[in-house]
Amino acid sequence: MTAAKKIFENLAFTHKVHEKQAELMSLGSQILRILILTRLLFSLWVQLVQLIPNFFLVSLTTLGIISTIVGIGLAFYQLNFNYDKLLDSHREAAKDILEVKNKMIVAMDNGMTKAELNAFVDELNPIYRRAPQTGWLANILASLGSPKKPKKKA
């Protein structure tokens, strides 16, 4: 049953990591929306500044260049990341892993056999293959909430 316990611990940790990654993706999506809104407000401000050029010491050309660079950067950022799709993928992976985890708890309580353990591994393999990658921050956040493993005495 040592193998079953190790698989279960990894399963529980992976579930927690995907939950944390989903939380981070949700936060990232909110930050991206704030950045886009900020960019739009900044562009509006630059246009207002152009109406009253005598009151500002900053070069309008410099403000225009900064606004353009920020806009292009945010556009590329948006093109490279689809937070909603990634968020759904992490939530789905966490849900699927939780289902297997709950079934494994019941099996462990009933004295899991080697065949049942192999069936759980076979069920987990496709889930792990289709699950999106997680970041280092999600791993750290998940490990903060995990119980510490006791150190072996020499």
Side-chain angles (χ1 to χ4, degrees), residues 75-142:
F76 278 115
Y77 191 74
Q78 281 180 288
L79 290 174
N80 289 325
F81 293 99
N82 184 344
Y83 278 105
D84 295 332
K85 183 179 178 183
L86 284 172
L87 178 61
D88 290 342
S89 296
H90 284 289
R91 285 184 176 156
E92 182 180 339
K95 179 186 71 76
D96 293 344
I97 292 168
L98 181 63
E99 288 174 8
V100 176
K101 178 183 161 190
N102 290 337
K103 288 192 279 185
M104 197 167 180
I105 288 172
V106 172
M108 288 173 76
D109 287 344
N110 295 330
M112 184 183 337
T113 65
K114 181 76 171 166
E116 287 175 316
L117 178 60
N118 290 336
F120 283 120
V121 170
D122 291 341
E123 187 176 353
L124 285 170
N125 282 332
I127 295 171
Y128 286 149
R129 273 195 297 275
R130 75 173 180 268
Q133 289 185 336
T134 57
W136 59 271
L137 186 55
N139 282 288
I140 290 172
L141 292 173

Side-chain angles (χ1 to χ4, degrees), residues 5-92:
K5 185 176 180 184
K6 182 66 176 163
I7 291 170
F8 180 79
E9 288 173 356
N10 290 338
L11 178 65
F13 183 74
T14 303
H15 172 254
K16 188 173 248 185
V17 168
H18 280 283
E19 283 184 335
K20 295 298 180 185
Q21 188 68 46
E23 290 173 16
L24 290 171
M25 297 306 290
S26 178
L27 178 64
S29 179
Q30 293 170 4
I31 290 171
L32 181 61
R33 288 182 181 108
I34 290 169
L35 288 174
I36 293 168
L37 178 62
T38 303
R39 161 60 170 100
L40 292 173
L41 292 175
F42 183 71
S43 295
L44 180 61
W45 180 76
V46 168
Q47 297 304 316
L48 290 175
V49 168
Q50 289 177 359
L51 296 175
I52 315 169
N54 296 333
F55 293 105
F56 293 93
L57 300 174
V58 179
S59 165
L60 294 178
T61 304
T62 305
L63 289 175
I65 290 170
I66 291 171
S67 176
T68 302
I69 290 170
V70 169
I72 291 170
L74 283 175
F76 278 115
Y77 191 74
Q78 281 180 288
L79 290 174
N80 289 325
F81 293 99
N82 184 344
Y83 278 105
D84 295 332
K85 183 179 178 183
L86 284 172
L87 178 61
D88 290 342
S89 296
H90 284 289
R91 285 184 176 156
E92 182 180 339

